[in-house]
Amino acid sequence: MNYGMLASGSCLLTEITHSLHELSRKINVVDRLSQHFAKGIPRKALKAYLSQVKKWGPEQPVILIDDSDVVKPEGYKFESLGWVRNGSESSSTKNVYKKGYHVTEATVLTLDRHPISIFSEIHSSS
């Protein structure tokens, strides 16, 4: 996945598949990547990543939490698509709800004040 994202410059599975130049049918490669992606990050790899991030941060790190949304108003094939408050169209006087997902992201600031992701989750209100 990492090579495919770097080679394609995209995080779309179809773009990643194209950059891999495999002889298999594109749909089969997309399915295979989806299955591996659904398993999540192996615990050992996550632990190694967080250990490295820890080295880059101060002893008392600043952690930023962002609760946001991803709106898919025309989506109908997405799994567990729920209703979210559309932050782009809502205001203090009106709330606009559309089909989509909630996104929770946590980043830590390094010693150079660069944000690095330590948690990212997309979840449904359904």
Side-chain angles (χ1 to χ4, degrees):
M1 291 295 283
N2 290 333
Y3 169 78
M5 285 189 283
L6 290 172
S8 67
S10 174
C11 62
L12 298 175
L13 288 179
T14 52
E15 299 286 330
I16 293 168
T17 299
H18 182 69
S19 70
L20 296 177
H21 304 292
E22 294 188 9
L23 298 176
S24 302
R25 291 179 54 210
K26 195 176 205 177
I27 187 68
N28 294 339
V29 178
V30 168
D31 286 345
R32 179 174 50 86
L33 293 176
S34 295
Q35 290 169 1
H36 286 292
F37 196 58
K39 292 178 185 177
I41 300 170
R43 188 175 285 280
K44 190 174 179 180
L46 184 59
K47 189 173 180 179
Y49 173 75
L50 292 176
S51 292
Q52 186 61 43
V53 169
K54 218 174 181 182
K55 294 175 189 175
W56 296 334
E59 196 166 307
Q60 293 186 357
V62 174
I63 298 174
L64 309 166
I65 308 292
D66 179 28
D67 278 324
S68 189
D69 57 74
V70 175
V71 177
K72 299 290 183 186
E74 304 301 320
Y76 59 93
K77 290 189 177 182
F78 294 101
E79 184 177 324
S80 301
L81 196 60
W83 291 99
V84 296
R85 180 181 175 271
N86 185 352
S88 299
E89 295 182 26
S90 294
S91 67
S92 59
T93 58
K94 71 171 186 172
N95 290 322
V96 177
Y97 290 91
K98 292 194 174 179
K99 293 185 289 183
Y101 297 103
H102 296 285
V103 179
T104 302
E105 181 77 35
T107 57
V108 63
L109 293 179
T110 66
L111 293 168
D112 298 330
R113 296 188 175 204
H114 292 284
I116 297 179
S117 178
I118 57 173
F119 179 82
S120 187
E121 187 77 33
I122 297 174
H123 46 100
S124 172
S125 60
S126 295

